[in-house]
Amino acid sequence: MAEFLKIEHRDAVCICTIAAPKTLNALNSVILGELNEFLDTLDTGRTRCLIVTGEGEKAFVAGADISEMAGLNEAEGFEFGRRGADVFRRIERLPIPVIAAVNGFALGGGCELAMACDIRLCSDNARFGQPEVGLGIIPGFSGTWRLARIVGMGMAKQMIFAGKPVRADEALRIGLVNAVYPPSELMDEAVALADSICANAPLAVAMAKECINEEYDLPADEAIRYENELFGNCFATRDQKEGMRAFLHKEKVAFEGR
Ligand code: CO8
């Protein structure tokens, strides 16, 4: 039984809530371990979309736990960073889409967690930032890598060097989030988006995610070949046969993920 994670299943949607309210959901090594265990047991056949959020209305995740990091030596700092980065990479590579519902502060490791998700939605009171240099460290859960890919080098460097958080409207403007909602509507909107994803062919969604992730760093011709390969693979699935048959017969389709 997890101490800091609340897991709820709503049909094919799973909601994972980080719940450490005393520290605004800051990530300590116990939470990182619980996230790993959750990913070990997540059935991505049954669950077709995952939503990650934080408990309460104030914070998504206010960073890595500063009280735990304060006494670390160099080797321990390396290890703590590696553990967080590994969990976040697992989230990024899940064969199902992951939506971050950012309900308040997403600072440091919290912003990095949101960035490891495929899609970010936020409440209008959200704040995103990488304030690490103000603590004498750099982003350590792959923020230097992901932020530049999402918002571009210039804005990533400004956010990381100045450490000043951006508000929800600015996060929307720079493409760090896809949409901003009143706090009371955020989860309903996240679930509605998840439901619309779940209605589509799961293997096709998984292959589309893999293509977008893996092709990003490939030279153009290799990337195009990669997509071509997976496009061909779609035609070996029942979902493709059933989806196209249903379209041609003007019927609704319930994809099986086969
Ligand atoms: N770690 C530990 N405790 C925290 C954290 C945190 N990141 N954030 C908040 N808390 C605690 C506070 O200490 C406070 O505890 P207490 O009630 O016992 O005093 C409680 O949560 C409530 O916080 P505040 O009283 O500060 O609430 P405010 O509304 O005044 O401020 C803020 C909210 C602005 C979010 C403020 O709490 C804050 O600035 N928090 C720290 C944000 C931050 O710097 N985050 C980045 C941390 S570094 C990081 O994430 C690095 C990731 C990579 C790690 C690599 C490892 C090697």
Side-chain angles (χ1 to χ4, degrees), residues 3 5 17 32 36 47 54 70-71 131 137 166 211 216-217 238 248:
E3 185 184 354
L5 292 189
T17 303
L32 293 177
N36 249 327
T47 294
I137 60 172
V166 297
C211 280
Y216 194 89
D217 293 315
R238 260 181 77 94
L248 293 173

Side-chain angles (χ1 to χ4, degrees), residues 21-24 26-27 58 62-67 69 72 76-78 80-81 105 107-110 112 130-132 135 137-141:
K22 284 189 193 146
T23 52
L24 302 183
L27 300 172
K58 189 167 173 182
D65 192 319
I66 298 170
S67 57
M69 286 187 294
L72 302 183
E76 290 163 343
F78 174 88
F80 189 59
F105 290 108
L107 301 176
E112 292 169 304
Q130 298 290 162
E132 285 90 343
L135 296 164
I137 60 172
I138 62 172
F141 293 162

Side-chain angles (χ1 to χ4, degrees), residues 203-245:
L203 296 176
V205 171
M207 284 191 249
K209 173 170 170 171
E210 182 183 329
C211 280
I212 295 168
N213 280 352
E214 300 304 317
E215 290 162 9
Y216 194 89
D217 293 315
L218 293 178
D221 288 330
E222 277 181 52
I224 289 164
R225 268 198 302 278
Y226 199 102
E227 184 192 80
N228 201 175
E229 190 72 32
L230 269 68
F231 180 71
N233 292 348
C234 294
F235 291 82
T237 67
R238 260 181 77 94
D239 284 350
Q240 177 268 330
K241 303 286 173 258
E242 188 50 24
M244 294 193 179
R245 188 202 61 77

Side-chain angles (χ1 to χ4, degrees), residues 6-247:
K6 292 184 178 165
I7 308 299
E8 181 192 346
H9 292 275
R10 294 192 197 173
D11 300 321
V13 179
C14 177
I15 303 171
C16 171
T17 303
I18 297 170
K22 284 189 193 146
T23 52
L24 302 183
N25 307 326
L27 300 172
N28 56 36
S29 41
V30 176
I31 299 179
L32 293 177
E34 290 186 359
L35 279 169
N36 249 327
E37 284 162 25
F38 164 66
L39 294 172
D40 288 341
T41 56
L42 182 66
D43 177 353
T44 54
R46 174 181 160 216
T47 294
R48 294 185 179 184
C49 189
L50 171 66
I51 297 173
V52 178
T53 194
E55 186 155 88
E57 287 192 356
K58 189 167 173 182
F60 172 70
V61 167
D65 192 319
I66 298 170
S67 57
E68 181 171 343
M69 286 187 294
L72 302 183
N73 64 28
E74 187 174 353
E76 290 163 343
F78 174 88
E79 184 54 25
F80 189 59
R82 190 192 62 75
R83 287 188 67 188
D86 284 355
V87 181
F88 289 7
R89 186 72 170 139
R90 288 188 73 188
I91 292 171
E92 186 169 58
R93 302 192 84 178
L94 278 175
I96 56 171
V98 185
I99 299 170
V102 178
N103 54 314
F105 290 108
L107 301 176
C111 189
E112 292 169 304
L113 172 60
M115 291 192 293
C117 300
D118 298 300
I119 293 168
R120 284 157 293 288
L121 308 179
C122 76
S123 54
D124 53 23
N125 65 335
R127 298 280 183 283
F128 293 82
Q130 298 290 162
E132 285 90 343
V133 293
L135 296 164
I137 60 172
I138 62 172
F141 293 162
S142 320
T144 55
W145 181 60
R146 289 201 181 92
L147 188 58
R149 289 160 76 99
I150 296 171
V151 302
M153 281 272 190
M155 192 51 80
K157 285 178 177 172
Q158 180 177 324
M159 285 179 69
I160 290 172
F161 299 166
K164 202 165 162 264
V166 297
R167 303 162 66 98
D169 55 352
E170 177 71 348
L172 181 65
R173 192 186 69 78
I174 64 177
L176 186 50
V177 295
N178 293 10
V180 181
Y181 300 104
S184 59
E185 293 172 19
L186 175 64
M187 189 47 73
D188 286 348
E189 293 289 348
V191 171
L193 176 59
D195 283 341
S196 64
I197 291 171
C198 293
N200 291 320
L203 296 176
V205 171
M207 284 191 249
K209 173 170 170 171
E210 182 183 329
C211 280
I212 295 168
N213 280 352
E214 300 304 317
E215 290 162 9
Y216 194 89
D217 293 315
L218 293 178
D221 288 330
E222 277 181 52
I224 289 164
R225 268 198 302 278
Y226 199 102
E227 184 192 80
N228 201 175
E229 190 72 32
L230 269 68
F231 180 71
N233 292 348
C234 294
F235 291 82
T237 67
R238 260 181 77 94
D239 284 350
Q240 177 268 330
K241 303 286 173 258
E242 188 50 24
M244 294 193 179
R245 188 202 61 77
F247 176 83

